[in-house]
């Protein structure tokens, strides 16, 4: 086959079958998205549906175009079209007609056509290559998904009598849960308290990571991973209690801020499964003193009415935030009608609460209450309406942030009103209005000196003093205390290592002092002081 015929053959093939290649690529993409959603590789929602429907519709359209276009585009018709586009005066068309003619004239005609197409790029090469690339990528994705699906079917535990295969597989292979035992879901505490947290962690596969996720007024603040030593009991299957402390002074929260927290665990499984989360818990930061009094019908009677409204709004927003958080992390398919129905109810309730908040804002305007309260109400309405829209669009995690910010603003209005009401001077209790946050005030601040960090700081000061000029007579006592702290294994990995090194250096300094060589004791005493400072920094 001469070069011109080869060129025309490739150009005709790409022009005729380009739509078919794209049809196959888009169809494979739609299948890959559908199977990936079924396997749980990504959440089922609006985005996954769009990513599946759009390629499928486009594939159907391209298939129809190919069926019509391929019949009309003959070899000769394509040669004529290229002659017209490139102004070749029918050279390609004549070459196609004389392809089998052995005469010298036909050979000359073909040679002339070959000379005119030399160096030209075949039309639609980019579309042809990109269609092939899409088909290859979608094919690899389908291959991986089919392999995963086959593996799950082969390794699934057979169902017992009366149970479905799907239920048995989930229960036997990857079921997990995190349930809070204490404290209550909504409490109050001061900024200097440490809150003891207790939960029951259950898993059929174990966890490869566990973390405490903390937010303040809807804004994520910290994600605290369990150290490997603390995580070890939870890496295997079973039910295990988890106890840890939440130190509020480390969060730098302000009075009346809302601290929310939950536990999140990544399951130790080869399957790409969503994380397991505990229910959302809340702490409202209260002032160190809660002896504020309110004057019924006194200095700010309108503030009393608004305070009752705020209590109701805060309780409602708190309830909706918890419900939305549970929906966002529900283990069922978010495309199921039962999930969609419940989600729609939450969105409708959030929108209704936005209207009630707007009414409270108008009340504050009518009663000429502080401008800051009116402004906070206005911001809350906007955030609530945004959250309602996001929930309706199944963007529940984004909605949780807006809900938390709205809750924080409502609480800020409460803080402002309490300041006004505190000037009333009545015997009415500040807790007369119902508050969703329990306040047993049973959480006692842990004295800093009794915490591992406090003990480390105290020992560092003592060791610095002992090593300032020359090791003191109490070096042996300090060395013993450092060794006792290291033995408790209550510090994180880096601080623990530095403390153990400090214990060795302090013990060496004490040994040299016992031998009467204070000069030799100076270097290990200084090294112990430096190690303790590094442990505190860690």
């Amino acid at each position: 086959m001469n070069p011109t015929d080869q060129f025309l053959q490739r150009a005709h093939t790409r022009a005729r079958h380009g739509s078919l290649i794209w049809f196959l690529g888009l169809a494979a993409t739609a299948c890959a998205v559908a199977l990936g959603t079924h396997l749980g590789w990504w959440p089922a929602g609006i985005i996954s549906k769009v990513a599946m429907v759009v390629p499928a519709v486009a594939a159907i359209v391209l298939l129809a175009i190919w069926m019509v276009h391929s019949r009309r585009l003959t070899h000769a018709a394509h040669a004529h079209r290229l002659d017209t586009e490139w102004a070749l005066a029918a050279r390609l068309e004549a070459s196609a007609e004389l392809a089998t003619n052995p005469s010298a004239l036909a050979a000359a005609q073909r040679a002339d056509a070959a000379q005119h197409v030399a160096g030209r790029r075949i039309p639609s090469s980019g579309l042809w290559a990109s269609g092939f690339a899409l088909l290859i990528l979608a094919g690899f994705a389908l291959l991986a998904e089919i392999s995963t699906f086959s593996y799950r079917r082969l390794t699934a535990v057979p169902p017992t009598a009366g149970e479905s295969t799907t239920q048995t597989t989930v229960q036997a292979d990857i079921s997990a849960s995190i349930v809070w035992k204490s404290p209550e879901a909504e409490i109050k505490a001061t900024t200097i308290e440490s809150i003891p947290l207790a939960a029951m962690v259950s898993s059929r596969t174990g966890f490869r990571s566990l973390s405490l996720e903390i937010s303040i007024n809807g804004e994520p603040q910290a994600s605290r991973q369990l150290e490997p030593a603390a995580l070890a009991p939870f890496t295997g299957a079973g039910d295990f209690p988890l106890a840890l402390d939440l130190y509020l002074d480390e969060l730098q929260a302000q009075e009346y801020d809302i601290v929310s927290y939950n536990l999140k665990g990544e399951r130790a499984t080869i399957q790409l499964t969503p994380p397991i989360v505990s229910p959302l818990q809340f702490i409202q930061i209260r002032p160190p003193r809660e002896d504020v009094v309110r004057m019924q019908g006194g200095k700010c009677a309108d503030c009393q009415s608004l305070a009752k409204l705020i209590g109701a709004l805060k309780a409602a927003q708190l309830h909706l935030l918890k419900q939305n958080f549970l929906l966002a992390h529900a283990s069922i398919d978010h495309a199921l009608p039962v999930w969609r129905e419940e989600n729609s109810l939450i969105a409708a309730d959030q929108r209704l609460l936005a209207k009630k908040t707007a009414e409270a804002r108008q009340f504050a305007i009518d009663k000429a209450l502080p401008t800051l309260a009116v402004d906070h109400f206005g911001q809350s309405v906007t955030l609530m309406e945004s959250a309602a829209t996001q929930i309706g669009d199944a963007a529940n995690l984004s909605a949780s942030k807006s809900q938390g910010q709205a809750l924080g603003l409502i609480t800020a209005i409460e803080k402002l009103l309490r300041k006004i009401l505190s000037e009333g001077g009545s015997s009415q209790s500040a807790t007369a209005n119902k508050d969703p946050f329990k306040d047993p005030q049973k959480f006692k601040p842990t004295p800093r000196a009794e915490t591992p960090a406090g003990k480390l700081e105290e020992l560092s000061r003592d060791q610095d003093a002992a090593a300032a000029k020359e090791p003191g007579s109490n070096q042996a006592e300090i060395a013993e205390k450092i060794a006792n702290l290291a033995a408790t294994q209550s510090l994180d990995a880096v601080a623990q290592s530095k403390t153990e090194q400090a214990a060795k250096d302090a013990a060496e300094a004490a040994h040299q002092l016992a031998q009467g060589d204070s000069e030799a004791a100076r270097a290990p005493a200084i090294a112990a002081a430096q190690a303790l400072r590094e442990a505190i920094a860690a």
Side-chain angles (χ1 to χ4, degrees), residues 49 327 332-345:
K49 285 185 177 180
L327 276 180
I332 65 172
D333 188 350
H334 292 185
L336 291 177
V338 63
W339 188 93
R340 302 292 300 179
E341 180 181 355
E342 187 66 24
N343 193 61
S344 298
L345 291 175

Side-chain angles (χ1 to χ4, degrees), residues 11-215:
H12 179 249
T13 300
R14 295 186 181 184
R16 186 177 184 184
H17 300 300
S19 300
L20 182 61
I21 291 297
W22 271 95
F23 158 73
L24 294 174
L26 290 171
T29 300
C31 292
V33 172
L35 186 53
T37 304
H38 176 72
L39 293 174
W41 286 12
W42 43 76
I46 299 298
I47 296 178
S48 61
K49 285 185 177 180
V50 171
M52 179 174 55
V53 172
V54 171
V57 172
I60 294 173
V61 172
L62 287 175
L63 179 61
I65 293 174
W66 174 79
M67 294 177 67
V68 175
H69 184 65
S70 61
R71 293 182 179 181
R72 298 176 179 176
L73 192 63
T74 62
H75 192 73
H78 186 60
H80 176 73
R81 190 174 75 177
L82 291 179
D83 279 329
T84 303
E85 290 180 3
W86 293 343
L88 297 181
R91 285 182 172 85
L92 296 181
E93 189 175 5
S95 178
E97 292 177 355
L98 299 174
T100 58
N101 193 320
S103 66
L105 180 61
Q109 181 68 37
R110 290 193 293 269
D112 180 61
Q115 183 179 0
H116 280 79
V117 299
R120 291 183 182 270
R121 184 180 179 184
I122 298 176
S124 304
S125 296
L127 289 175
W128 178 268
S130 58
F132 254 115
L134 177 63
L135 179 59
I136 292 172
L137 290 175
F140 275 119
L142 277 174
L143 181 61
E145 291 170 344
I146 292 172
S147 300
T148 302
F149 180 77
S150 301
Y151 176 81
R152 291 185 183 181
R153 293 296 299 270
L154 290 173
T155 58
V157 177
T160 58
E163 291 183 334
S164 69
T165 303
T166 303
Q167 291 174 338
T168 304
T169 301
V170 172
Q171 292 176 355
D173 290 345
I174 60 173
S175 61
S177 65
I178 304 176
V179 180
W180 288 111
K181 296 299 181 182
S182 66
E184 295 184 70
E186 302 94 18
I187 62 171
K188 290 183 180 180
T190 63
T191 57
I192 61 173
E193 294 183 53
S194 62
I195 310 300
L197 310 179
M200 181 61 67
V201 179
S202 305
S203 174
R204 300 286 183 174
T205 61
F207 288 93
R208 65 172 178 266
S209 70
L210 280 170
S211 61
L212 181 64
E213 307 295 325
I214 306 171
S215 299

